[in-house]
């Protein structure tokens, strides 16, 4: 089975349509409220993943980011398998085509799969050096891999100390997400616990 992509076919009302006549402002507000309550019309678009061999695995967890900084979203897929998979988008943002790249994460799994994770990948620039670093949540807690290379040639080095205290509190199935929730200029950690 391949990864599934669902595209919404719901059309939201245009603000420009009602901007010329303020008496329709109430109607616009009502339609906006209604659009958030109504179910969206979703349709499956199999042409995105199936032709390129991007297969769904047990408990697939996709994560998109522009890893190579070429303007399109590349794909990392976590699962309950042995390793995170990486698929480079070799086309563009509007017509994606994915190619599996086993070399991207090979250094993480070079010594086998013991003491590694594959479940929940999350990428962000945690050390503010203008490239993506990698967190992988799973049985071994949240593992942090510092990218000491660059965006085109990442070199992953595990940095165990950053989440050591967190890992004692979160159990064996954490899904990490980092976001600056309090707008203080640094990333804050949220962890979903299974």
């Amino acid at each position: 089975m391949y990864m599934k992509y669902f595209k919404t076919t719901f059309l939201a009302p245009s603000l420009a349509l009602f901007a010329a006549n303020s008496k329709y402002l109430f109607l616009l507000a009502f339609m906006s409220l209604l659009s958030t309550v109504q179910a969206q019309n979703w349709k499956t678009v199999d042409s995105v993943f199936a032709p390129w061999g991007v297969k769904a695995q047990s408990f697939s967890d996709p994560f998109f980011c522009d890893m190579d900084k070429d303007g399109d979203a590349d794909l990392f897929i976590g699962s309950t398998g042995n390793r995170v998979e990486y698929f480079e988008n070799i086309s563009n943002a509007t017509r994606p085509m994915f190619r599996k790249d086993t070399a991207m994460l090979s250094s993480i799994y070079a010594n086998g799969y013991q003491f590694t994770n594959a479940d929940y990948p999350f990428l962000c620039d945690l050390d503010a050096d203008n490239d993506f670093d990698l967190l992988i949540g799973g049985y071994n807690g949240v593992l942090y891999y510092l990218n000491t290379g660059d965006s085109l040639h990442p070199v992953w080095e595990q940095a165990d100390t950053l989440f050591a205290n967190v890992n004692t509190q979160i159990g064996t199935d954490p899904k990490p997400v980092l976001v600056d929730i309090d707008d203080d200029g640094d990333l804050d950690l949220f962890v979903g616990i299974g």
Side-chain angles (χ1 to χ4, degrees), residues 11-39:
L11 298 175
S14 170
L15 292 176
L17 178 68
F18 298 104
N21 196 334
S22 62
K23 71 180 180 180
Y24 292 108
L25 188 57
F26 175 77
L27 179 61
L28 174 64
F30 177 74
M31 288 178 69
S32 294
L33 177 63
L34 185 62
S35 72
T36 60
V37 175
Q38 286 181 324

Side-chain angles (χ1 to χ4, degrees), residues 93-178:
T94 57
R95 305 265 317 149
M97 295 183 341
F98 294 96
R99 177 182 59 211
K100 187 173 184 174
D101 180 350
T102 57
M104 173 64 75
L105 301 171
S106 62
S107 63
I108 292 173
Y109 303 106
N111 295 320
Y113 302 116
Q114 188 175 12
F115 307 116
T116 65
N117 287 335
D119 301 315
Y120 309 112
F122 183 87
L123 288 95
C124 65
D125 187 6
L126 198 55
D127 59 352
D129 65 347
N130 204 31
D131 60 23
F132 286 105
D133 302 304
L134 173 65
L135 284 81
I136 306 174
Y139 182 78
N140 294 299
V142 175
L143 302 181
Y144 171 47
Y145 296 92
L146 177 68
N147 181 358
T148 58
D150 58 35
S151 61
L152 295 177
H153 305 95
V155 176
W156 307 108
E157 291 185 16
Q158 189 170 0
D160 291 331
T161 58
L162 187 61
F163 295 107
N165 185 41
V166 172
N167 283 335
T168 63
Q169 303 173 49
I170 58 175
T172 59
D173 193 29
K175 180 174 179 165
V177 174
L178 289 162

Side-chain angles (χ1 to χ4, degrees), residues 40-146:
Q40 298 288 319
N41 295 323
W42 296 96
K43 70 176 186 174
T44 304
V45 182
D46 286 329
S47 62
V48 174
F49 296 114
W52 313 112
V54 181
K55 295 184 178 181
Q57 298 178 25
S58 181
F59 296 96
S60 291
D61 184 52
F63 186 87
F64 290 90
C65 70
D66 188 5
M67 185 67 194
D68 52 8
K69 298 194 178 190
D70 63 352
D72 56 33
D74 303 305
L75 172 62
F76 290 80
I77 300 178
S79 71
T80 56
N82 288 329
R83 61 187 302 152
V84 173
E85 292 185 324
Y86 171 69
F87 294 85
E88 179 185 1
N89 186 346
I90 56 173
S91 183
N92 59 47
T94 57
R95 305 265 317 149
M97 295 183 341
F98 294 96
R99 177 182 59 211
K100 187 173 184 174
D101 180 350
T102 57
M104 173 64 75
L105 301 171
S106 62
S107 63
I108 292 173
Y109 303 106
N111 295 320
Y113 302 116
Q114 188 175 12
F115 307 116
T116 65
N117 287 335
D119 301 315
Y120 309 112
F122 183 87
L123 288 95
C124 65
D125 187 6
L126 198 55
D127 59 352
D129 65 347
N130 204 31
D131 60 23
F132 286 105
D133 302 304
L134 173 65
L135 284 81
I136 306 174
Y139 182 78
N140 294 299
V142 175
L143 302 181
Y144 171 47
Y145 296 92
L146 177 68

